[in-house]
Each structure stands twice: as C-alpha cells, then as structure tokens.
Amino acid sequence: MGYIASQSLIAAQLVAVSGFTFDRSAPFRGSSSLRTSSMVRSTAPDLTDLLAHCALGDQRALAELYRQTRSRLYAVALRMLRSTDAAEEALQESFVKIWKNARVYRPDLAAPMTWMTTIVRNQGLDMLRRRQPEQTQRVLLDEEDDRLEQVADESPDPLALAMQGEAAASLSRCFGGLKEQQRQLISRAFYEGLSHAELADATGMPLGSIKTSIRRGLLALRTCLEGLGAEAGR
Amino acid sequence: MNYLKPELISALAGEYVLGSLKGRARSRFERLMAAEPLVQREVAKWQARLQPLADRLDPVEPSERVWKRIEKRIRPAQARSAAAADAAAGSGAFGQLVSAWWRRLALGSSALAGVLVAVLLLRPPAPAPTVAAAPPNWDMWSILLSADNKPHIIVCASKSSRRLWVMVNRPQTVAADRSLELWMMPADGSGQPKSLGLVPTDGVHQIQLATTVQERVAGVPVLAVSLEPAGGSRSGAPTGPVLYSGPVLFKKTT
C-alpha cells in the first residue's frame, strides 16, 4: 500500500519539478497544463495526492483534504477531549500542522489517515497534558463507556468485518483474544489519552498492575497481528 | 541505556502511540525515537496497528467555523510561498520550477517546530540547490535522503533508456581520497548491494548502463550512496558509511 501511495506522491512531485507547468490556480484539472497524458488523472484525487498538493502550497487541496477527513478526525479529537471547544481547537491546530508538514509526509511510512490521525491524537494528548488535574477529567472517566464493548467484540459479524477491511478485522479478532482488563485499559488509553497513573486513578488498580497489563496486552496484540499476517507495510 | 531490546522497544513504542506513556518517560522515548530509525519504524508499525481503533469511531461533523479558522491561519503562509515561487526566476523552465520548489520547502521550515510526530517528519532542506537538466520522459526516480532526512541526491531515468541521471541537490564536501558510490540495495536485506558507479559531489551526472534502466533496477527497492575510497569500493561491496538512501519509485501509469 505504501508503495502505491509513494508512486502517486512522487508523480505529483514530478509534475512540480519536471518542467511541466504546474498551474497553481487549477490544482486538480491538470490536463491542459500537462504534456504527458499518462499523468492526467480523471478520478478524484486520493488523500496522498491531496497531501502532495498541500506540500506544493495548494490551499484547495487542503480544503478538499479537510472535507474528506474532518468528520473522522473530529470524532477522534472529540472522543479524547470530550468538549466541543477543545476538540474544535485540536482539529484546527492539527490541520494547520498538516498543512505545514505535508511536504514531509512519508507515504512509505504511514497511510495518509494514519498520519493525520497521529497528528490529531498528539495534539489532543498535548492539550490534555496542559489541562490541570482538577479539571473535569475524573468525572468523565467514571462514565459508562459503551465504546469499549464494541472494541471488545468477541464474535464479530463476518460481513461487518469484511466491510471494515482486513486491518480492522484483524485488530478486532486480536482484541477479542486479550483479557477483558487489558482490552479496557488499552481502549481507554487510546481513546481518552489516559496515562498509566490516570488509569490507576480511574480504575482503582495499582499503578504496577496497570503497566504490566497494558504492556502484556500490547505485546499479545502484536504477536496476534503478526500471526494473522496483518502487518501493513514493512 | 539498555533500551534497544526489541521486546522492550516494541512495548514502549506501543505505549507511546497509545498515549499511556507520559511525562518524563515519554520525553525520554521521544529522544530515543529521534535518534533511532529502528524505533521510528516500530512506532510507525504501532500507529498502523492501532489505527483501526480510530477508524471505528462514528464520524462527527465539526462546526463550519473550524474551517474558517484554519483558512485564516494558512493564508499568510500561502501568500509568502507563492511570492517566493514567483520570485524564483531562473534560466529554463525546469531549473526555475525546481528552484521554486526547493525554495518553498526551505521557506516553510519554521513551521516544523514542536510537532510531535517526529517519526513522520523530515528536517527542512537547506535552500538553493541547483538542478539544471532532466532526462526526457522520466518515469523512474529516487530521492536519496541523508540520515537526518534531508534530500541530497535525485536519481531519475526513463525506464526504457540505458541512462541514469544523478542530480546533486546540494554540493557535497568529500575528502580528496574519497568518492561517493551509488548502490542498488538488495530486496529484503538478502543478497549483496550492486554498484551503479560513482556519483559526483555537485551538478548533474549521467551513468551509462549496459542494459535498460527497467532491466537493471527491476525489483530493487532502494538506492543508496556510500562513502568509499577514491575511485570506488575495491571489494565490490560498500565499505564506507551509507550517507544517503531512498526508495526506487516508478511513475504511476493510468
């Protein structure tokens, strides 16, 4: 996957570097300004292409990238920060970072959505870190968390799995193989951005047990995913 | 620090991506990650492994004001970039565009500060490389990066030709008794690298091949440049440090 993505990024860079006119005002049309017909794409640009155009300073590419990904990335931010204001700020800061760093996006290292999600989650983690402990977090932690049940789905519907794609299906299956406690801790850490200490506070478990449980859970997850041959890329 | 045990690295990378690794432990791990490509790869793997967790959240539409704010934030930078591109007038359309492209990369460098996704980020390149020519109909290329992820050398070619073009993006300083040598790295780490010849420390250079580029680089995942004794490695295998490397890429044909 990374390989194909690399090709299209490079193809887009080629447009900019090789003396074909890169018409800044017409980011996705291209056909009139390119002499090589094989480089003309008639379909909508994919996320990797859009990131490549962002790298070239094309603001419309960012607008389209935002349009295609905002609701998924916003869900991640909202889930972690649990406030509309904070999640909007996180999304905004993340897209400014995506814009500024698109030129160093490496399609061989990460899928576009993975790269962008990482930026959003790191932004969220930063914002959580800056929040003071007396703020509302602890109250929120006690809420019943129905998402955990979904993540820990032990008998997944095959059709749903097929639709989720192979990676998601593999993760679902491997998650199902973890101990209940490991699933809960890993899910809460991922979605809510909780530290080991915060998880200890939230669950009443000793800090050492939290660390051990998460570490064993992650390594079991890795072993299981590798066993399923679900590892993406290299 | 006995940090480089695979199991421990993997667990720490997992905890880092998960976000549960916090405070000083997180900072320590980030420093380790910045220095160790192996750790960067493990982090990238964990990002991919855990991504389905994010994907399964139900999408939520953000307010329209978010985009308005983003637009406001990116506009000034955009204007500066465009001005820089316009100002980058040179001789020949190709040189001009390349120059504009690299200058733009250099311009944006301040934007990089403080972004946490170090594994996915490269350092900004230095300004003003010069690339004066390119082969006709090029459809294969490789950007060779230094260890700190700066693009130093571009190799490109037309697959059906027998000639590789090597463009040095920024002049190199190499001791008089040393040469830079270009290698095709073996797939999957098995087998020996094969030499493609010496490369210059500056300017544009062509390497003549006995077969077509297509035949020669078929299946080669990565090109690399190592520092060798003047005239090239005598053993036929790289002996000096690998200075630059990059994946071999082909233009997508549709």
Side-chain angles (χ1 to χ4, degrees), chain B residues 109-133:
Chain B
S109 62
S110 62
L112 274 176
V115 176
L116 267 173
V117 282
V119 63
L120 302 177
L121 297 185
L122 315 180
R123 290 257 180 73
T130 48
V131 179

Side-chain angles (χ1 to χ4, degrees), chain A residues 163 205-206 232:
Chain A
M163 291 176 66
M205 287 169 62

